Amino acid sequence: MKHLLLGLGMAMFGVMTAQAAAARVWTDSQGRKVEAAFVKLDGDTVYIQLANGTVFPLPLARLSPADQEAARTLTPAENANALLSVPTNASVAQAAAKIDQLVEIGLQKGNIKLAEQARKKALEDQKSGVKPKPHVAVPPNPLMTDEQFVRRVYLDIAGRIPNFDEATAFLKDASAEKRAKLIDTLLASDGYASHLYNYFAEMLRIKEGLETADYVTGTPYIQWMKDQIKANTTWDKMVYDMITADGKAWNNGATGYLLRDSGMRLDNLAVTLTVFLGTDVACAQCHDHPFANWTQRQFYEMASFFGATSTYMGNRDFPNGDPTKHLAEEADRIMQSNGLDPKIHGRLSVMSWGQTRW
């Protein structure tokens, strides 16, 4: 998750790659050559950016005399501090460079279309005796300022804007790594877990009241999901734990996924395939899917995977009788002893007995 956010941070927070700057061939003291764009000279270290977007540090002394002089005289890239503020690896840098490339291609295509529209409009204006307006190409957005960055990074990661003290502290920080440090700080915050939980809660339809037997609550499921986010649990493990969950809700919060649609196995399967495979196969419950290669038989073959899953407790789970019934009867006696009518005031809400079993 953190690598993903760092990659998005480079691409979305206005950190354009140095590929916009002119690349040159650098030669080291052994005659080896590499083509890269100059980023910055910091002390005795030269930072260059390769074609794949990776920023590579190179000792100044390892360069040829001519390149050492060039490194001392070249102007640092406009986004040098931004490039060096986020530790990059090949995969992250390549992803950011690819996104920048796609944005640039889209901008070029848009400008070609706008230029053609402007040309046609100019011909119409000339025929009408109106002075044509010169066409101005749409330029790339300027690099993001620290003021813009601090606001957007708080919104993207923590789901809120920074307060005065947080924004001021960031703007006064003169270190080149301050953006990376702020990203790491926010990723470790409760705000990040809460904000990301909202995304998962909507996708998985998490709610407090689960569709199962009386008195069931989704609170353990909610807390389990928040704990997984805080622990940075991998997505594949989270999904595995939810799909194969076994036990009682208060002992294993992951059971909440199946308890969410307790007694509705086919509906739960349709939702599962939509959420995890991005495929809507609900139609196949009643007939072969009209627009996809899903047949009704295949749907029920998939449903059979959950055929042995139970989301209700049976008599074998309570050899002494259903505890919810005993607790409800006890609640009635307590209300009667206090002069209350159970029929009017209702039964006391007791602990959930929901569970899943394979």
Side-chain angles (χ1 to χ4, degrees), residues 145-161:
T145 65
D146 281 345
E147 289 82 1
Q148 293 169 326
F149 175 86
V150 70
R151 175 183 171 85
R152 295 187 188 181
V153 75
Y154 266 90
L155 284 171
D156 285 348
I157 298 179
R160 64 178 179 87
I161 61 174

Side-chain angles (χ1 to χ4, degrees), residues 167-322:
T168 302
F170 175 79
L171 295 175
K172 289 183 177 179
D173 189 348
S175 67
E177 298 81 18
K178 67 178 183 179
R179 293 192 180 191
K181 290 191 297 184
L182 179 57
I183 290 174
D184 288 339
T185 299
L186 291 176
L187 288 175
S189 69
D190 291 336
Y192 164 72
S194 176
H195 186 48
L196 192 57
Y197 166 77
N198 292 335
Y199 169 80
F200 283 116
E202 180 177 7
M203 179 177 68
L204 299 172
R205 305 173 304 127
I206 297 176
K207 64 178 186 177
E208 291 187 354
L210 299 179
E211 307 294 341
T212 182
D214 294 340
Y215 316 119
V216 172
T217 174
T219 302
Y221 182 29
I222 293 173
Q223 189 58 50
W224 177 84
M225 179 59 66
K226 291 181 178 179
D227 291 341
Q228 303 312 299
I229 295 172
K230 289 182 180 180
N232 202 29
T233 304
T234 59
W235 179 234
D236 59 333
K237 186 178 187 307
M238 289 171 61
V239 174
Y240 179 85
D241 289 345
M242 287 188 288
I243 296 299
T244 63
D246 185 63
K248 300 177 178 64
W250 60 88
N251 291 329
N252 181 7
T255 59
Y257 177 76
L258 295 175
L259 289 172
R260 169 63 175 80
D261 299 309
S262 182
M264 300 184 292
R265 295 177 182 174
L266 299 182
D267 291 333
N268 181 264
L269 172 62
V271 171
T272 296
L273 296 174
T274 299
V275 171
F276 300 127
L277 299 182
T279 303
D280 185 0
V281 298
C283 294
Q285 292 188 45
C286 304
H287 50 74
D288 292 348
H289 201 295
F291 308 117
N293 294 325
W294 273 85
T295 66
Q296 185 180 24
R297 179 182 179 86
Q298 289 173 326
F299 181 89
Y300 282 92
E301 286 175 344
M302 180 68 74
S304 67
F305 175 77
F306 297 97
T309 304
S310 173
T311 52
Y312 288 101
M313 282 186 164
N315 292 332
R316 65 173 180 168
D317 298 298
F318 305 107
N320 298 322
D322 185 353

Side-chain angles (χ1 to χ4, degrees), residues 17-262:
T17 65
Q19 301 309 309
R24 67 187 303 275
V25 177
W26 300 83
T27 306
D28 69 2
S29 56
Q30 299 180 23
R32 295 175 296 186
K33 301 180 183 296
V34 62
E35 184 174 356
F38 177 69
V39 176
K40 182 181 181 181
L41 174 63
D42 187 6
D44 293 328
T45 302
V46 179
Y47 290 93
I48 57 176
Q49 188 174 37
L50 306 181
N52 66 3
T54 305
V55 176
F56 185 77
L58 188 67
L60 183 64
R62 286 181 54 185
L63 293 175
S64 66
D67 283 342
Q68 290 186 34
E69 182 61 26
R72 294 188 180 97
T73 57
L74 286 173
T75 302
E78 183 181 356
N79 59 335
N81 289 337
L83 285 171
L84 298 179
S85 68
V86 179
T88 62
N89 56 44
S91 60
V92 172
Q94 288 172 3
K98 184 63 176 179
I99 291 174
D100 287 340
Q101 180 187 26
L102 293 174
V103 170
E104 184 178 355
I105 291 173
L107 188 60
Q108 291 174 355
K109 289 183 178 179
N111 277 326
I112 292 173
K113 184 177 181 179
L114 291 174
E116 178 61 20
Q117 292 174 353
R119 186 187 67 80
K120 293 180 179 179
K121 184 65 168 59
L123 292 175
E124 293 174 0
D125 289 342
Q126 287 178 352
K127 293 179 182 179
S128 303
V130 179
K131 183 179 180 181
K133 294 181 180 180
H135 170 65
V136 179
V138 178
N141 288 334
L143 294 176
M144 186 174 295
T145 65
D146 281 345
E147 289 82 1
Q148 293 169 326
F149 175 86
V150 70
R151 175 183 171 85
R152 295 187 188 181
V153 75
Y154 266 90
L155 284 171
D156 285 348
I157 298 179
R160 64 178 179 87
I161 61 174
N163 60 38
F164 177 80
D165 292 336
E166 291 167 337
T168 302
F170 175 79
L171 295 175
K172 289 183 177 179
D173 189 348
S175 67
E177 298 81 18
K178 67 178 183 179
R179 293 192 180 191
K181 290 191 297 184
L182 179 57
I183 290 174
D184 288 339
T185 299
L186 291 176
L187 288 175
S189 69
D190 291 336
Y192 164 72
S194 176
H195 186 48
L196 192 57
Y197 166 77
N198 292 335
Y199 169 80
F200 283 116
E202 180 177 7
M203 179 177 68
L204 299 172
R205 305 173 304 127
I206 297 176
K207 64 178 186 177
E208 291 187 354
L210 299 179
E211 307 294 341
T212 182
D214 294 340
Y215 316 119
V216 172
T217 174
T219 302
Y221 182 29
I222 293 173
Q223 189 58 50
W224 177 84
M225 179 59 66
K226 291 181 178 179
D227 291 341
Q228 303 312 299
I229 295 172
K230 289 182 180 180
N232 202 29
T233 304
T234 59
W235 179 234
D236 59 333
K237 186 178 187 307
M238 289 171 61
V239 174
Y240 179 85
D241 289 345
M242 287 188 288
I243 296 299
T244 63
D246 185 63
K248 300 177 178 64
W250 60 88
N251 291 329
N252 181 7
T255 59
Y257 177 76
L258 295 175
L259 289 172
R260 169 63 175 80
D261 299 309
S262 182

